[in-house]
Every structure is written in structure tokens, then in C-alpha cells.
Amino acid sequence: MLQFPFPKVIPILNQLNDHGYDAYVVGGAVRNAFLGLPVHDIDITTSATPDIVQNLFPKTVPVGIEHGTVLVIYQGEGYEVTTFRSESEYRDFRHPNTVTFVSSIQEDLKRRDFTMNAMAIDKEGVLIDPYGGKKDCQLKQIRMVGNPLDRIQEDPLRLLRGLRFLSQLDFTLGSLERQAFNETSPLLSKVSIERVSQEMTKLLHGQAVSKALQYLVETNCHEHLLLCKNKGEDILNHSKRKLIMLQSDAEHWCAFLLALKIDIREFCYKWKMSSSLRKAMITLKSVFQEQAQKPWDIYSLYQSGLEQALAIERLNYVFYSHYSMQDQQIHQLWKRMPIHHRQDVSVSGHDLIEWLNKESGPWIAQKLEQIEKLILSGQLINRKEDIKQWLLQ
């Protein structure tokens, strides 16, 4: 018996238990508690049907009631409470043909993906772990519940979910799973690109991203990702870089696409990525290629901006491992700069039009850029009267 690690949901479990229903915390929360990781979402599973759950709690939202899930609002937080269920064949490699409510927690755990996600714990600290999830957590291995081929056939996204967990947790893939992943990798083409994109983004952010990319190639999964066919060698070479240095989505994806020599615009279009991420990657690539392995000066830093300059330094370090990052110098240079953005300049285009009595046109941007350079170089003080005097001389 263990100490129950989720005291704030005990009142919810009590309410269900007091009315004669079994209730457990299940899945990722239990896994993370065992691994000593932050717990973000606490999911509850119960023998109570959705209508009963709705009757037992004053504030609920039927977020997935057709699959037995009700969101219970308690003390300002939402907790998904799902009825024990079993699932039949999957009609579209994602959604089951039918969902049947069952009375057994063991039956419910049987339908889950990985052993580490198929653990449940009651308020007394009694662990239900029929598939050895706790041991797999201790061994740092990812295994699937039951036959891996069956679990993947149900939802092929589990191929990438497994590699994503491997990346985030620094686990290894079980031997049967490795074989099954290779055998079923073509099924990835059946998964919507939006779901694939979400999992790959999380994978790239993991602490063991290099290992995960190696598994991606070893299991042949990369061959069934859009635009990644025949890119195995490039992915393996990329996996040898210090990818843990990268931070934002734009940095991770930009580095990945540069390494694989894939056009960012085409990739973002086919992978249905957001316009904001596409623009961030395009800008990052452009500045990186222009600034690669060069020292920063005041004007190049001004044009780039602090955060992007630091991102460029991280990309420099990833692609040119001999390169020494200039974070400290960049911060010092940024601190000395009299302006950091165009809006910091004491005059506007409207002022220029008024002083020079000219119509609006491209000359305004050109003149403002000239003023910025003079201010940055110390040749002009960033005061309205000084700028006006310089302009009219």
C-alpha cells in the first residue's frame, strides 16, 4: 500500500465511494507520481455511469459523454471522470466502433495504450497494476498493454506517442514493441497530420530527443511521415547534435528541417502548421543563415532582437559544435543599446511628414532606418528636438 499522492481529489473519490461506486485516479497522473514528475491533469475512472456522475456533483460539463467522460468542477478546477469501459474494433484507426461501460477496473485498464499508463490507485493507496506499469517505470522501458500489434492497430498514433514518451522520459522501447513498431509503421499514413504534428513537436522537445530520433529511424516510422521519406541518414546525423540546447517550437522545427534539407514553406503547408510558426521559422532560418558564426554588432542585434539573437546562438551551437555561444556578450550589448525597437525612437513618420512638408511614401521608412542607425552608433541623441535639427540641417 502506498501513500495516496493526490489529496485534493479525495472529496471527489469520497462522493463516488459513499454512493457505492468504485473510483480511482488513473493514467498519466499515477505514472508521473511514481516518476517524481509534475502532475498536471488528474483523471479519475469510476464504475458510476455518466448520468450518475452528473447527478452526484453540482458542477459538471459533458465533455465526452458519448465515451463516458464528464468534467467535474471542484474548487475551481476541472477533473475528467470517466466510466469504466471497454472498446470494440476501431473503425478509423482512432475511434472505437462501440464503447461499452463495464463494472471492472481491470477491464478498463485492458484497453489502455502503455503499461505505465495502465495503473490506477484508490484513495487508500491501493495500486491496481495488472500489466506491470510500475516495474516498467522502474526499468525505464515503454511496453504496450497486451499485444503491441493490437494496440497499434487501434490507433497508429501510438507509434509516435511511444516515441514521444521515450523522448520526454528518457526511456527505452521494449523488444516486442520495437518489432511491432517496425512492422506497423506504414499505418502512420492513416493518422491525421494534425495529430502527427502535435506528437512530433512534443518529441522534439524531450530530454532524450536524440535517442527518440534514432528510434524513429530504427523502427522505420520516418518513412511514413510526410516529406521525411528517405531522410533516415539525415535524421540520424541530426540526432548526434546537441539538440537539448534548443528551446522554442520554431528552433526545434527549423533545426530539423535544415538538417533534412526540407523547404519550410512546403513542410508547414503539408503538415498544416500555424502561420505564426511558419513565419517564425522562416525568419529564424533567414537570420541564422545570414548570421551563422559571425559576431554580433549593435545594428545586427537591433534588427534581430534579443530573443531571436539568443535563438540563433543556440542554432549556431547545434550546427557548429566548435562554436562558442555569445550569450553574455549579447546581453551586454543589448543593455548598452540606446534603443531596442523602432517604437523606442522619439519621432514617428507623422513627424517627418510634418517637418519636411512631404507626402507619405517609401522615403519615410528609409529616413527612419537612417535615424535608427545614427542613434545606435551614438552619432545622434534620441531626442525629438535633436532629430528634428538633424533632419532639417
Side-chain angles (χ1 to χ4, degrees), residues 10-27:
I10 287 179
I12 298 176
L13 302 183
N14 280 339
Q15 178 74 339
L16 290 162
N17 291 161
D18 291 347
H19 286 80
Y21 302 101
D22 295 332
Y24 304 85
V25 173
V26 69

mmCIF file of all heavy atoms in Angstrom, residues 10-27:
data_model
loop_
_atom_site.group_PDB
_atom_site.id
_atom_site.type_symbol
_atom_site.label_atom_id
_atom_site.label_comp_id
_atom_site.label_asym_id
_atom_site.label_seq_id
_atom_site.Cartn_x
_atom_site.Cartn_y
_atom_site.Cartn_z
ATOM 1 N N ILE A 10 -9.517 13.708 -3.150
ATOM 2 C CA ILE A 10 -10.148 12.762 -2.218
ATOM 3 C C ILE A 10 -11.638 13.045 -2.041
ATOM 4 O O ILE A 10 -12.453 12.107 -2.016
ATOM 5 C CB ILE A 10 -9.401 12.756 -0.860
ATOM 6 C CG1 ILE A 10 -8.058 12.026 -1.025
ATOM 7 C CG2 ILE A 10 -10.244 12.092 0.226
ATOM 8 C CD1 ILE A 10 -7.213 11.981 0.226
ATOM 9 N N PRO A 11 -12.073 14.325 -1.925
ATOM 10 C CA PRO A 11 -13.519 14.571 -1.803
ATOM 11 C C PRO A 11 -14.330 14.044 -2.992
ATOM 12 O O PRO A 11 -15.471 13.597 -2.811
ATOM 13 C CB PRO A 11 -13.607 16.096 -1.708
ATOM 14 C CG PRO A 11 -12.298 16.518 -1.132
ATOM 15 C CD PRO A 11 -11.304 15.576 -1.732
ATOM 16 N N ILE A 12 -13.761 14.070 -4.191
ATOM 17 C CA ILE A 12 -14.472 13.530 -5.359
ATOM 18 C C ILE A 12 -14.574 12.012 -5.249
ATOM 19 O O ILE A 12 -15.639 11.419 -5.479
ATOM 20 C CB ILE A 12 -13.758 13.934 -6.664
ATOM 21 C CG1 ILE A 12 -13.755 15.456 -6.818
ATOM 22 C CG2 ILE A 12 -14.422 13.271 -7.875
ATOM 23 C CD1 ILE A 12 -12.990 15.946 -8.040
ATOM 24 N N LEU A 13 -13.461 11.376 -4.872
ATOM 25 C CA LEU A 13 -13.470 9.923 -4.698
ATOM 26 C C LEU A 13 -14.425 9.526 -3.570
ATOM 27 O O LEU A 13 -15.151 8.521 -3.682
ATOM 28 C CB LEU A 13 -12.054 9.418 -4.412
ATOM 29 C CG LEU A 13 -10.987 9.730 -5.472
ATOM 30 C CD1 LEU A 13 -9.651 9.100 -5.084
ATOM 31 C CD2 LEU A 13 -11.410 9.246 -6.854
ATOM 32 N N ASN A 14 -14.413 10.302 -2.487
ATOM 33 C CA ASN A 14 -15.322 10.020 -1.357
ATOM 34 C C ASN A 14 -16.780 10.063 -1.803
ATOM 35 O O ASN A 14 -17.590 9.196 -1.424
ATOM 36 C CB ASN A 14 -15.108 11.030 -0.238
ATOM 37 C CG ASN A 14 -13.891 10.704 0.617
ATOM 38 O OD1 ASN A 14 -13.427 9.557 0.631
ATOM 39 N ND2 ASN A 14 -13.374 11.685 1.322
ATOM 40 N N GLN A 15 -17.132 11.071 -2.564
ATOM 41 C CA GLN A 15 -18.519 11.213 -3.021
ATOM 42 C C GLN A 15 -18.945 10.000 -3.843
ATOM 43 O O GLN A 15 -20.058 9.488 -3.682
ATOM 44 C CB GLN A 15 -18.650 12.497 -3.847
ATOM 45 C CG GLN A 15 -20.023 12.759 -4.431
ATOM 46 C CD GLN A 15 -21.052 13.204 -3.417
ATOM 47 O OE1 GLN A 15 -20.896 12.974 -2.208
ATOM 48 N NE2 GLN A 15 -22.141 13.812 -3.883
ATOM 49 N N LEU A 16 -18.074 9.530 -4.698
ATOM 50 C CA LEU A 16 -18.388 8.346 -5.505
ATOM 51 C C LEU A 16 -18.445 7.094 -4.631
ATOM 52 O O LEU A 16 -19.379 6.281 -4.739
ATOM 53 C CB LEU A 16 -17.347 8.187 -6.618
ATOM 54 C CG LEU A 16 -17.408 9.240 -7.729
ATOM 55 C CD1 LEU A 16 -16.103 9.276 -8.518
ATOM 56 C CD2 LEU A 16 -18.590 8.969 -8.674
ATOM 57 N N ASN A 17 -17.439 6.923 -3.758
ATOM 58 C CA ASN A 17 -17.392 5.745 -2.878
ATOM 59 C C ASN A 17 -18.585 5.701 -1.928
ATOM 60 O O ASN A 17 -19.181 4.633 -1.709
ATOM 61 C CB ASN A 17 -16.108 5.738 -2.062
ATOM 62 C CG ASN A 17 -14.857 5.496 -2.884
ATOM 63 O OD1 ASN A 17 -13.748 5.802 -2.462
ATOM 64 N ND2 ASN A 17 -15.019 4.965 -4.097
ATOM 65 N N ASP A 18 -18.952 6.857 -1.388
ATOM 66 C CA ASP A 18 -20.052 6.909 -0.414
ATOM 67 C C ASP A 18 -21.388 6.516 -1.024
ATOM 68 O O ASP A 18 -22.325 6.142 -0.293
ATOM 69 C CB ASP A 18 -20.157 8.315 0.193
ATOM 70 C CG ASP A 18 -18.981 8.652 1.107
ATOM 71 O OD1 ASP A 18 -18.229 7.720 1.459
ATOM 72 O OD2 ASP A 18 -18.801 9.837 1.443
ATOM 73 N N HIS A 19 -21.483 6.621 -2.354
ATOM 74 C CA HIS A 19 -22.727 6.219 -3.022
ATOM 75 C C HIS A 19 -22.610 4.837 -3.664
ATOM 76 O O HIS A 19 -23.412 4.446 -4.513
ATOM 77 C CB HIS A 19 -23.113 7.257 -4.076
ATOM 78 C CG HIS A 19 -23.666 8.523 -3.482
ATOM 79 N ND1 HIS A 19 -22.857 9.516 -2.957
ATOM 80 C CD2 HIS A 19 -24.951 8.929 -3.272
ATOM 81 C CE1 HIS A 19 -23.617 10.498 -2.488
ATOM 82 N NE2 HIS A 19 -24.888 10.161 -2.656
ATOM 83 N N GLY A 20 -21.548 4.109 -3.262
ATOM 84 C CA GLY A 20 -21.434 2.709 -3.654
ATOM 85 C C GLY A 20 -20.665 2.445 -4.928
ATOM 86 O O GLY A 20 -20.740 1.329 -5.472
ATOM 87 N N TYR A 21 -19.906 3.424 -5.398
ATOM 88 C CA TYR A 21 -19.184 3.248 -6.665
ATOM 89 C C TYR A 21 -17.669 3.212 -6.444
ATOM 90 O O TYR A 21 -17.141 3.922 -5.581
ATOM 91 C CB TYR A 21 -19.540 4.368 -7.639
ATOM 92 C CG TYR A 21 -21.013 4.436 -7.923
ATOM 93 C CD1 TYR A 21 -21.823 5.377 -7.291
ATOM 94 C CD2 TYR A 21 -21.620 3.519 -8.797
ATOM 95 C CE1 TYR A 21 -23.191 5.422 -7.526
ATOM 96 C CE2 TYR A 21 -22.980 3.549 -9.033
ATOM 97 C CZ TYR A 21 -23.764 4.504 -8.394
ATOM 98 O OH TYR A 21 -25.120 4.525 -8.617
ATOM 99 N N ASP A 22 -17.001 2.379 -7.223
ATOM 100 C CA ASP A 22 -15.542 2.351 -7.184
ATOM 101 C C ASP A 22 -15.008 3.599 -7.892
ATOM 102 O O ASP A 22 -15.620 4.099 -8.845
ATOM 103 C CB ASP A 22 -15.004 1.112 -7.909
ATOM 104 C CG ASP A 22 -15.392 -0.177 -7.203
ATOM 105 O OD1 ASP A 22 -15.583 -0.138 -5.973
ATOM 106 O OD2 ASP A 22 -15.505 -1.209 -7.900
ATOM 107 N N ALA A 23 -13.855 4.096 -7.433
ATOM 108 C CA ALA A 23 -13.266 5.281 -8.074
ATOM 109 C C ALA A 23 -11.756 5.260 -7.851
ATOM 110 O O ALA A 23 -11.282 4.953 -6.743
ATOM 111 C CB ALA A 23 -13.868 6.556 -7.512
ATOM 112 N N TYR A 24 -11.021 5.600 -8.886
ATOM 113 C CA TYR A 24 -9.560 5.580 -8.844
ATOM 114 C C TYR A 24 -9.008 6.776 -9.632
ATOM 115 O O TYR A 24 -9.623 7.233 -10.598
ATOM 116 C CB TYR A 24 -9.004 4.309 -9.506
ATOM 117 C CG TYR A 24 -9.507 3.016 -8.940
ATOM 118 C CD1 TYR A 24 -10.715 2.469 -9.390
ATOM 119 C CD2 TYR A 24 -8.776 2.321 -7.979
ATOM 120 C CE1 TYR A 24 -11.180 1.261 -8.884
ATOM 121 C CE2 TYR A 24 -9.229 1.108 -7.468
ATOM 122 C CZ TYR A 24 -10.435 0.587 -7.931
ATOM 123 O OH TYR A 24 -10.899 -0.608 -7.424
ATOM 124 N N VAL A 25 -7.831 7.212 -9.232
ATOM 125 C CA VAL A 25 -7.037 8.077 -10.104
ATOM 126 C C VAL A 25 -6.291 7.146 -11.043
ATOM 127 O O VAL A 25 -5.773 6.095 -10.629
ATOM 128 C CB VAL A 25 -6.058 8.954 -9.304
ATOM 129 C CG1 VAL A 25 -5.113 9.714 -10.249
ATOM 130 C CG2 VAL A 25 -6.828 9.939 -8.435
ATOM 131 N N VAL A 26 -6.212 7.537 -12.329
ATOM 132 C CA VAL A 26 -5.700 6.606 -13.332
ATOM 133 C C VAL A 26 -4.790 7.324 -14.326
ATOM 134 O O VAL A 26 -4.846 8.544 -14.490
ATOM 135 C CB VAL A 26 -6.895 5.939 -14.079
ATOM 136 C CG1 VAL A 26 -7.613 6.953 -14.955
ATOM 137 C CG2 VAL A 26 -6.473 4.721 -14.887
ATOM 138 N N GLY A 27 -3.933 6.541 -14.976
ATOM 139 C CA GLY A 27 -3.185 7.043 -16.131
ATOM 140 C C GLY A 27 -1.966 7.879 -15.825
ATOM 141 O O GLY A 27 -1.181 7.568 -14.921
#
